[in-house]
Amino acid sequence: MTSLSLFPLLYCLIVQQVCFSSQLEDNKIPPSLCTGHPGTPGSPGIHGSPGQPGRDGRDGRDAAPGEKGQKGDRGDTGETGVRGLTGDKGYPGEKGDRGQPGECAVAPKSAFSVKLSQSHTFPLNVGDAVLFDTIILNEQGDYNTETGRFTCKVPGVYYFAVHATVYRTSLQFDLMKNGHAVASYFQFYGNWPKPASLSGGSLLHLIPGDQVWVQIALSEYNGFYSSTKTDSTFTGFLVYSDWKNSAVFA
């Protein structure tokens, strides 16, 4: 055998050696080349370090509602709290329904007018009231024909007027309030063939119970006269009342 014929065989051996060496280095020896018996179990290992916390689990499903519990006892009353601040002003409310019509107010009234009758006998004494005995108007009954005096019931301002027919003698009379003369009037008569006249009036403030009348000032001057053709009259009426809730002030 020549050296040339041994060359292929030598090449195959070298290639197998290289492949086998490579497997030993990589610790990848095929099991078919080194199959051994199983080894004895090793000793237990030491405990490992605690692991990291796991992730939160998913929410569980809602359970069925439980039964309603019994009502508890009433608690003690707490202390009164501090008064709060005044709140803001509220909005105006809606307009209310129209109310029922009220009763009509009636203004206070007081008025009278009286005159002397033809058969009247005049007082002869100073201080006696002249009795105007014939009523023309006296709806409220404030004038008394028996005393000749007006008595106030409604407080306020009144106007009084006296018209006298003077005949046969002179006349002097006073307009009196509670015993005091507030106005005086005089008319001389000089035996004239026809009667003369005398008139006067005044505003007076009165309160309930005040009285007003006409009084002869001098007994010899009492020439009041009345006939079918002429009269002597005494008149008074309320101008305005002091009552603040009367219709006069509406």
Side-chain angles (χ1 to χ4, degrees):
M1 181 178 295
T2 62
S3 57
L4 291 174
S5 61
L6 293 175
F7 180 77
L9 181 60
L10 181 60
Y11 177 77
C12 292
L13 292 175
I14 294 173
V15 171
Q16 289 180 357
Q17 182 66 31
V18 172
C19 291
F20 183 74
S21 298
S22 176
Q23 289 180 353
L24 291 177
E25 291 176 359
D26 295 338
N27 198 21
K28 295 180 180 180
I29 301 174
S32 59
L33 299 179
C34 52
T35 301
H37 297 286
T40 59
S43 300
I46 62 175
H47 293 288
S49 301
Q52 295 180 351
R55 297 180 180 179
D56 294 336
R58 293 182 299 176
D59 294 336
R61 297 180 180 178
D62 295 335
E67 296 181 358
K68 185 176 181 179
Q70 296 180 353
K71 184 177 180 180
D73 297 334
R74 184 183 181 89
D76 297 334
T77 303
E79 297 180 358
T80 302
V82 180
R83 183 175 181 179
L85 301 176
T86 302
D88 297 333
K89 184 177 180 180
Y91 296 104
E94 296 181 357
K95 186 176 181 179
D97 297 333
R98 186 182 183 89
Q100 297 294 329
E103 297 181 359
C104 180
V106 178
K109 300 177 181 179
S110 180
F112 74 95
S113 185
V114 290
K115 66 179 183 178
L116 293 173
S117 64
Q118 298 181 31
S119 61
H120 183 74
T121 300
F122 300 103
L124 299 178
N125 298 322
V126 176
D128 291 341
V130 179
L131 301 180
F132 294 87
D133 56 342
T134 301
I135 294 176
I136 301 173
L137 176 69
N138 190 29
E139 293 182 352
Q140 291 76 38
D142 295 341
Y143 178 82
N144 189 330
T145 56
E146 295 181 359
T147 63
R149 301 189 180 196
F150 166 85
T151 302
C152 173
K153 296 178 181 177
V154 179
V157 173
Y158 291 76
Y159 181 74
F160 295 93
V162 180
H163 173 76
T165 298
V166 183
Y167 190 53
R168 297 194 181 103
T169 184
S170 299
L171 175 62
Q172 183 173 354
F173 65 85
D174 297 329
L175 182 64
M176 305 294 294
K177 173 187 174 183
N178 297 336
H180 300 281
V182 294
S184 298
Y185 306 93
F186 175 77
Q187 173 63 52
F188 175 76
Y189 181 76
N191 293 323
W192 302 313
K194 294 183 179 181
S197 62
L198 173 62
S199 298
S202 180
L203 283 169
L204 298 178
H205 184 271
L206 304 179
I207 61 175
D210 286 346
Q211 291 187 332
V212 178
W213 66 93
V214 177
Q215 179 174 293
I216 294 295
L218 294 174
S219 58
E220 62 270 23
Y221 294 157
N222 58 357
F224 274 109
Y225 180 75
S226 179
S227 69
T228 57
K229 299 294 183 179
T230 184
D231 289 305
S232 293
T233 61
F234 179 33
T235 300
F237 56 87
L238 176 67
V239 178
Y240 61 85
S241 169
D242 287 342
W243 287 339
K244 301 303 181 182
N245 59 347
S246 70
V248 176
F249 298 92

